Amino acid sequence: MASGPLIWLLHGPNLNMLGMREPDIYGAQTLESINTQSMSLAEALGLRLEHFQSNHEGELVDRIQLALSQKVQGFVINPAAVTHTSVALRDALAAVALPFVEVHLSNIHRREPFRSHSYFSDKAEAVVCGMGPLGYEAAIRFFHGHLLKPMTPSR
Ligand code: DQA
Protein backbone atom coordinates (compact mmCIF):
# COMPACT_ATOMS: atom_id res chain seq x y z
CA MET A 1 0.00 0.00 0.00
CA ALA A 2 1.18 3.51 -0.81
CA SER A 3 2.50 5.44 2.14
CA GLY A 4 4.19 8.78 2.72
CA PRO A 5 2.89 12.31 2.99
CA LEU A 6 -0.17 13.07 0.88
CA ILE A 7 -0.16 16.03 -1.51
CA TRP A 8 -3.05 17.08 -3.71
CA LEU A 9 -2.44 18.34 -7.23
CA LEU A 10 -5.35 20.62 -8.13
CA HIS A 11 -6.17 21.95 -11.59
CA GLY A 12 -8.66 24.70 -12.38
CA PRO A 13 -10.97 25.44 -15.32
CA ASN A 14 -10.10 24.44 -18.87
CA LEU A 15 -6.92 22.61 -17.92
CA ASN A 16 -8.70 19.39 -18.92
CA MET A 17 -8.26 20.67 -22.48
CA LEU A 18 -4.47 20.85 -22.34
CA GLY A 19 -2.89 19.39 -25.43
CA MET A 20 -5.48 20.88 -27.76
CA ARG A 21 -6.03 24.21 -25.98
CA GLU A 22 -3.94 27.09 -27.38
CA PRO A 23 -0.85 24.89 -27.75
CA ASP A 24 1.29 27.89 -28.66
CA ILE A 25 0.70 29.14 -25.10
CA TYR A 26 0.19 25.99 -23.07
CA GLY A 27 2.16 23.41 -25.04
CA ALA A 28 1.21 20.02 -26.42
CA GLN A 29 1.20 17.94 -23.25
CA THR A 30 -2.16 16.69 -22.01
CA LEU A 31 -3.33 16.96 -18.43
CA GLU A 32 -3.37 13.19 -18.19
CA SER A 33 0.28 13.08 -19.13
CA ILE A 34 1.16 15.83 -16.63
CA ASN A 35 -0.69 13.90 -13.94
CA THR A 36 1.06 10.63 -14.82
CA GLN A 37 4.50 12.26 -14.75
CA SER A 38 3.70 14.03 -11.48
CA MET A 39 2.54 10.78 -9.86
CA SER A 40 5.72 8.96 -10.91
CA LEU A 41 7.92 11.73 -9.58
CA ALA A 42 6.00 11.84 -6.30
CA GLU A 43 6.29 8.09 -5.93
CA ALA A 44 10.04 8.25 -6.55
CA LEU A 45 10.29 10.88 -3.82
CA GLY A 46 8.21 8.84 -1.37
CA LEU A 47 5.14 11.09 -1.57
CA ARG A 48 1.54 10.21 -2.30
CA LEU A 49 -0.02 12.45 -4.91
CA GLU A 50 -3.70 12.62 -5.81
CA HIS A 51 -4.96 14.83 -8.60
CA PHE A 52 -8.25 16.61 -9.23
CA GLN A 53 -9.46 18.93 -11.99
CA SER A 54 -12.65 20.92 -12.12
CA ASN A 55 -14.15 23.57 -14.32
CA HIS A 56 -16.23 24.73 -11.36
CA GLU A 57 -14.96 27.07 -8.68
CA GLY A 58 -17.28 25.62 -6.02
CA GLU A 59 -16.02 22.09 -6.65
CA LEU A 60 -12.47 23.27 -6.12
CA VAL A 61 -13.55 24.96 -2.88
CA ASP A 62 -15.27 21.74 -1.76
CA ARG A 63 -12.16 19.70 -2.54
CA ILE A 64 -9.87 22.05 -0.62
CA GLN A 65 -12.18 21.89 2.40
CA LEU A 66 -11.99 18.08 2.33
CA ALA A 67 -8.23 18.16 2.69
CA LEU A 68 -8.16 18.37 6.47
CA SER A 69 -10.21 15.22 7.00
CA GLN A 70 -8.11 13.43 4.38
CA LYS A 71 -4.84 14.32 6.18
CA VAL A 72 -3.48 16.17 3.18
CA GLN A 73 -0.21 18.00 3.85
CA GLY A 74 -0.58 20.62 1.14
CA PHE A 75 -1.37 21.44 -2.44
CA VAL A 76 0.27 22.03 -5.76
CA ILE A 77 -2.36 24.12 -7.51
CA ASN A 78 -2.85 25.69 -10.90
CA PRO A 79 -6.04 27.67 -10.34
CA ALA A 80 -6.06 28.61 -14.06
CA ALA A 81 -8.60 31.35 -14.86
CA VAL A 82 -9.84 31.61 -11.29
CA THR A 83 -6.34 32.72 -10.31
CA HIS A 84 -7.44 36.16 -11.39
CA THR A 85 -10.96 36.15 -9.94
CA SER A 86 -11.52 33.86 -6.99
CA VAL A 87 -11.74 35.21 -3.48
CA ALA A 88 -13.67 32.03 -2.62
CA LEU A 89 -10.75 29.77 -3.50
CA ARG A 90 -8.29 32.04 -1.74
CA ASP A 91 -10.46 31.92 1.38
CA ALA A 92 -10.73 28.12 1.18
CA LEU A 93 -6.93 27.82 1.13
CA ALA A 94 -6.69 30.23 4.06
CA ALA A 95 -9.35 28.27 5.96
CA VAL A 96 -7.52 24.96 5.77
CA ALA A 97 -4.18 26.71 6.36
CA LEU A 98 -2.11 24.14 4.47
CA PRO A 99 0.96 25.12 2.46
CA PHE A 100 0.55 25.40 -1.27
CA VAL A 101 2.64 26.04 -4.34
CA GLU A 102 1.00 27.95 -7.21
CA VAL A 103 1.86 26.79 -10.72
CA HIS A 104 1.12 28.31 -14.12
CA LEU A 105 2.24 26.79 -17.36
CA SER A 106 2.54 30.15 -19.07
CA ASN A 107 4.30 33.26 -17.85
CA ILE A 108 1.24 35.15 -16.64
CA HIS A 109 3.28 38.36 -16.37
CA ARG A 110 4.03 38.40 -20.06
CA ARG A 111 0.42 38.15 -21.22
CA GLU A 112 -2.71 40.31 -20.92
CA PRO A 113 -2.43 42.70 -17.96
CA PHE A 114 -5.39 41.11 -16.11
CA ARG A 115 -3.40 37.87 -15.80
CA SER A 116 -0.63 39.52 -13.81
CA HIS A 117 -2.75 39.66 -10.69
CA SER A 118 -3.20 36.48 -8.70
CA TYR A 119 -5.44 36.10 -5.67
CA PHE A 120 -3.05 33.38 -4.45
CA SER A 121 0.54 34.44 -4.87
CA ASP A 122 0.85 36.42 -1.63
CA LYS A 123 -0.32 33.35 0.30
CA ALA A 124 1.66 30.76 -1.66
CA GLU A 125 4.87 29.22 -0.36
CA ALA A 126 6.21 29.55 -3.90
CA VAL A 127 5.00 30.47 -7.36
CA VAL A 128 6.22 28.89 -10.59
CA CYS A 129 5.16 30.28 -13.94
CA GLY A 130 6.32 30.12 -17.52
CA MET A 131 8.12 26.80 -17.23
CA GLY A 132 5.39 24.70 -18.83
CA PRO A 133 4.91 21.22 -17.32
CA LEU A 134 8.34 21.46 -15.72
CA GLY A 135 6.70 23.82 -13.23
CA TYR A 136 4.79 20.90 -11.69
CA GLU A 137 8.00 18.94 -11.28
CA ALA A 138 9.68 21.93 -9.60
CA ALA A 139 6.69 22.38 -7.28
CA ILE A 140 6.65 18.71 -6.24
CA ARG A 141 10.40 18.70 -5.65
CA PHE A 142 10.12 21.90 -3.61
CA PHE A 143 7.33 20.38 -1.55
CA HIS A 144 9.42 17.33 -0.90
CA GLY A 145 12.51 19.29 0.05
CA HIS A 146 11.06 22.19 1.98
CA LEU A 147 7.41 22.04 2.94
CA LEU A 148 6.66 18.74 4.59
CA LYS A 149 6.13 18.51 8.30
CA PRO A 150 7.65 15.49 10.02
CA MET A 151 5.09 12.69 10.11
CA THR A 152 3.74 11.64 13.46
CA PRO A 153 4.60 7.97 13.83
CA SER A 154 1.43 5.86 13.80
CA ARG A 155 0.98 3.31 16.54
C1 DQA B 1 -2.81 29.44 -16.51
C2 DQA B 1 -2.81 30.95 -16.78
C3 DQA B 1 -4.19 31.54 -16.59
O1 DQA B 1 -4.18 32.93 -16.84
C4 DQA B 1 -5.19 30.89 -17.53
O2 DQA B 1 -6.49 31.38 -17.30
C5 DQA B 1 -5.15 29.41 -17.49
C6 DQA B 1 -3.87 28.72 -17.33
C7 DQA B 1 -1.45 28.79 -16.86
O3 DQA B 1 -1.24 27.66 -16.45
O4 DQA B 1 -0.63 29.40 -17.55
O5 DQA B 1 -6.16 28.75 -17.69
O6 DQA B 1 -3.04 29.22 -15.14
Side-chain angles (χ1 to χ4, degrees):
M1 209 185 87
S3 62
L6 177 60
I7 307 296
W8 277 359
L9 174 59
L10 302 179
H11 307 284
N14 300 305
L15 292 175
N16 56 313
M17 293 186 73
L18 286 179
M20 57 180 290
R21 175 191 179 202
E22 299 181 274
D24 47 321
I25 297 175
Y26 298 115
Q29 201 168 339
T30 63
L31 188 63
E32 192 184 351
S33 154
I34 288 172
N35 284 335
T36 305
Q37 279 183 1
S38 300
M39 306 271 291
S40 323
L41 173 63
E43 194 181 336
L45 296 173
L47 304 175
R48 275 181 304 148
L49 191 81
E50 293 173 356
H51 56 84
F52 176 77
Q53 188 274 335
S54 179
N55 293 327
H56 305 279
E57 182 182 18
E59 282 186 5
L60 292 161
V61 169
D62 287 345
R63 181 54 64 124
I64 288 166
Q65 289 185 7
L66 261 186
L68 292 180
S69 65
Q70 302 302 304
K71 307 266 184 289
V72 173
Q73 291 225 3
F75 311 101
V76 172
I77 179 167
N78 183 347
V82 299
T83 303
H84 320 296
T85 61
S86 184
V87 177
L89 209 56
R90 174 190 171 94
D91 286 353
L93 287 165
V96 298
L98 292 168
F100 69 92
V101 178
E102 176 183 350
V103 175
H104 300 282
L105 293 151
S106 64
N107 180 353
I108 56 175
H109 302 292
R110 193 165 95 162
R111 300 182 59 193
E112 302 98 318
F114 71 84
R115 291 188 203 274
S116 285
H117 177 257
S118 163
Y119 276 97
F120 303 91
S121 299
D122 63 313
K123 298 288 179 193
E125 299 296 328
V127 182
V128 190
C129 77
M131 289 171 54
L134 191 57
Y136 294 98
E137 180 180 334
I140 293 164
R141 287 189 186 280
F142 182 67
F143 234 107
H144 174 252
H146 300 279
L147 296 182
L148 294 173
K149 283 188 279 175
M151 300 266 283
T152 318
S154 50
R155 285 187 277 167

